[in-house]
């Protein structure tokens, strides 16, 4: 009897322990990037997240407008430190003290912003940076950790370093290792993270595997089963996401941290600007991913243990991003730049569909197009200039506006520029080749956008702006002088 009793207790203990250590509840968050010509006001974006019950958001900086709008929202926040600041932070604890004060402490508190993580750099070990940030990461982490401790925030806010999946490699998941030149720094990083109770943050992009490799089996990028599963010893992988994640698990295991919690900092699928970037593929990928993660199945190397949190990339399209990676780079949003849902997506938190942004302030409904009564033979230079300033990525091969013809191309470019210039009438001149129209020139899936009026300063900040202050001062002087 006693023996049985004892076993039951042990069993209970095991269940309690394992459920608290292993059974993490995954949450779906979003990346909120702001590199756009048409920025929604931060309070509209926060309302959009709330309407969609999004509980976690990852920023790439510590933009005061975004953080102010997040105050009191209850949304958990990861703020970011850009790579360019790592050099300074690696050498100056005064600089990290100031950063923590200015960008974290002042938002913390009752009805403040719920900052939980600080992302120290963004993919600082990316191969294409040729190691330029590598040596700064650990010293910057050490300085920031001390600054957090001095601000009494070290227990609550965790430092993380979002890494690109190019930090590790292998042809089979179980053989995963960190890149040889990163071996030392990864050991230091992971030990630092582990000592401070931080997870390992990784960005995983099956889309890029497909984009960059014509032989990559298309169905392996998705979650709907594959005719090209990868057999790795006793384990069979049917999707690139699990294969990639387990490669990281194996790499962590090799340096003694096989139990390290993992957060997916970025994952997603773009909808435009490349042949595999379209609405149905993005929907299939993101929906498959969300259901897969929320099913708590985990991966073959971590059965029953899904990633702690998964941040979709991204919330909104960012039409002013660099297109160095490809024309798709401006089209990762689950919402378009103006907060309109691109496709049906169930985030697994109660709403079956995405809800659109409310109270978006558009510019007037008018567009700039190629003047049909003019000879357009001299237009090439205008087109080049318009498209080098504004976004024309949908015109390219695989894009939603690739088949609108030569004249359509010109109109699209003109309009993109005109909206970027906030519909300033001179910006539709183009030596008389442009024409303002009130008829929407959109064709099929090709959308000719109308910009939104940026209203950043008046959005969420209750502080009076400079002009109000000047009026107040002058008003005061006027009263004083007439007295
Ligand atoms: C706070 O963050 C903002 C936005 O990332 C940045 O511009 C600013 O320099 C930071 N403050 C300090 C003291 O580093
Ligand atoms: C969208 O992309 C998927 C995935 O690459 C592809 O199979 C499909 O044919 C594309 N759909 C369209 C309409 O281009
Ligand atoms: C429109 O522009 C795109 C991008 O430059 C190009 O690929 C396409 O061929 C153009 N269409 C016509 C009809 O010129
Ligand atoms: C910007 O915000 C101010 C103050 O809320 C408002 O009066 C103004 O109409 C807004 N402008 C636009 C273009 O939305």
């Amino acid at each position: 009897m006693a023996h049985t009793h004892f076993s039951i207790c042990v069993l209970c203990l095991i269940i309690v322990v394992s459920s608290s250590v292993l059974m993490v509840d995954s949450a779906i968050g979003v990346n909120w990037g702001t590199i756009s010509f048409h920025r929604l006001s931060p309070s509209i974006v926060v309302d959009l997240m709330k309407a969609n019950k999004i509980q976690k958001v990852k920023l790439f900086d510590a933009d005061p407008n975004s953080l102010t709008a997040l105050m009191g929202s209850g949304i958990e926040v990861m703020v970011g430190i850009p790579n360019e600041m790592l050099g300074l932070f690696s050498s100056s604890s005064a600089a990290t003290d100031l950063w923590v004060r200015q960008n974290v402490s002042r938002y913390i508190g009752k009805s403040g912003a719920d900052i939980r993580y600080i992302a120290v750099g963004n993919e600082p070990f990316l191969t294409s940076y040729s190691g330029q940030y590598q040596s700064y990461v650990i010293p910057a982490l050490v300085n920031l950790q001390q600054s957090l401790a001095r601000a009494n925030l070290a227990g609550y806010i965790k430092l993380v370093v979002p890494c690109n999946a190019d930090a590790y490699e292998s042809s089979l998941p179980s053989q995963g290792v960190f890149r040889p030149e990163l071996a030392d720094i990864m050991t230091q990083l992971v030990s630092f993270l582990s000592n401070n109770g931080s997870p390992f943050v990784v960005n995983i992009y099956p889309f890029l595997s497909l984009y960059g490799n014509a032989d990559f089996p298309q169905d392996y990028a998705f979650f709907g089963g594959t005719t090209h599963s990868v057999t790795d010893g006793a384990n069979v992988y049917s999707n690139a996401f699990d294969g990639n994640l387990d490669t990281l698990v194996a790499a962590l295991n090799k340096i003694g941290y096989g139990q390290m919690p993992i957060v997916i900092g970025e994952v997603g699928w773009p909808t435009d600007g490349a042949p595999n970037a379209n609405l149905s593929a993005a929907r299939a990928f993101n929906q498959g991913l969300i259901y897969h993660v929320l099913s708590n199945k985990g991966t073959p190397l971590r059965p029953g243990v899904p990633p702690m949190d998964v941040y979709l990339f991204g919330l909104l399209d960012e039409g002013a991003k660099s297109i160095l990676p490809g024309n798709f780079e401006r089209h990762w949003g689950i919402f378009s730049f103006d907060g309109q849902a691109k496709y049906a997506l169930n985030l697994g938190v109660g709403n079956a569909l995405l809800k659109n942004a409310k109270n978006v302030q558009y510019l007037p409904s008018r567009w700039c197009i190629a003047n049909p009564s003019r000879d357009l033979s001299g237009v090439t230079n205008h087109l080049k200039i318009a498209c080098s300033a504004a976004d024309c990525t949908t015109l390219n091969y695989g894009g939603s506006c690739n088949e609108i013809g030569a004249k359509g191309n010109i109109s699209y470019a003109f309009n993109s520029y005109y909206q970027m210039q906030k519909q300033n009438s001179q910006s539709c001149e183009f030596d008389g080749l442009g024409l303002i129209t009130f008829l929407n020139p959109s064709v099929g899936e090709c959308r000719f956008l109308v910009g939104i009026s940026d209203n950043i300063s008046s959005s969420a900040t209750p502080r009076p702006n400079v002009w109000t202050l000047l009026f107040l001062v002058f008003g005061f002087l006027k009263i004083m002088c007439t007295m």
Side-chain angles (χ1 to χ4, degrees), residues 361 453 455 458:
Q361 305 260 351
S453 38
N455 219 342
S458 61

Side-chain angles (χ1 to χ4, degrees), residues 291-348:
Y291 288 155
H292 179 60
V293 169
L294 296 182
S295 75
N296 291 334
K297 273 205 290 267
T299 59
L301 293 186
R302 285 192 176 176
V305 187
M308 254 173 82
D309 294 320
V310 174
Y311 293 87
L312 296 179
F313 190 89
L315 182 62
L316 302 161
D317 277 353
E318 296 176 88
K321 278 194 92 175
S322 157
I323 50 167
L324 224 55
N327 287 307
F328 55 81
E329 189 66 11
R330 295 175 173 170
H331 306 280
W332 289 98
I334 55 176
F335 294 93
S336 47
F337 72 96
D338 54 351
Q340 308 306 298
K342 292 186 189 169
Y343 44 83
L345 188 65
N346 185 337
L347 295 175

Side-chain angles (χ1 to χ4, degrees), residues 77 84 146 152 182 240 256 271 278 300 323 346 384 431:
V77 184
E84 294 71 34
Q146 286 166 359
N152 286 322
L182 294 179
T271 56
N278 61 55
I323 50 167
N346 185 337
K384 252 193 213 137
D431 286 340

Side-chain angles (χ1 to χ4, degrees), residues 82-280:
N83 291 333
E84 294 71 34
M85 296 176 99
L86 296 180
L88 173 65
F89 288 1
S90 70
S91 62
S92 165
S93 57
T96 55
D97 277 351
L98 185 61
W99 189 89
V100 167
R101 230 181 1 257
Q102 198 176 83
N103 284 334
V104 180
S105 303
R106 67 181 264 237
Y107 298 105
I108 300 287
K110 201 161 166 285
S111 57
D114 191 10
I115 299 175
R116 296 291 186 93
Y117 293 103
I118 299 171
V120 181
N122 186 35
E123 304 184 339
F125 309 119
L126 199 64
T127 321
S128 56
Y129 293 144
S130 322
Q132 65 173 307
Y133 303 114
Q134 207 162 301
S135 62
Y136 301 144
V137 175
I138 302 294
L141 281 170
V142 170
N143 281 338
L144 281 158
Q145 185 66 31
Q146 286 166 359
S147 297
L148 281 178
R150 281 192 284 274
N152 286 322
L153 294 170
Y156 194 64
I157 300 179
K158 302 294 174 197
L159 300 176
V160 295
V161 179
C163 291
N164 189 281
D166 79 347
Y168 46 88
E169 54 199 12
S170 133
S171 48
L172 284 178
S174 64
Q175 309 298 309
V177 281
F178 288 109
R179 257 169 31 219
E181 77 271 23
L182 294 179
D184 284 348
I185 200 156
M186 279 299 166
T187 307
Q188 292 174 54
L189 171 63
V190 171
S191 140
F192 177 95
L193 297 173
S194 173
N195 289 339
N196 291 294
S198 295
F200 191 95
V201 179
V202 66
N203 301 341
I204 293 180
Y205 281 113
F207 169 81
L208 295 179
S209 311
L210 188 57
Y211 180 77
N213 178 0
D215 298 331
F216 193 87
Q218 183 164 310
D219 55 6
Y220 188 60
F222 295 87
F223 296 88
T226 179
T227 47
H228 299 85
S229 51
V230 171
T231 302
D232 180 5
N235 295 327
V236 178
Y237 289 86
S238 62
N239 66 78
F241 179 81
D242 281 356
N244 196 313
L245 198 48
D246 272 358
T247 310
L248 171 61
V249 172
L252 287 168
N253 200 23
K254 286 214 177 81
I255 58 173
Y257 291 91
Q259 300 302 309
M260 174 118 229
I262 295 174
V263 163
I264 310 298
E266 296 178 19
V267 59
W269 200 277
T271 56
D272 213 327
N276 295 313
N278 61 55
L279 295 170
S280 58

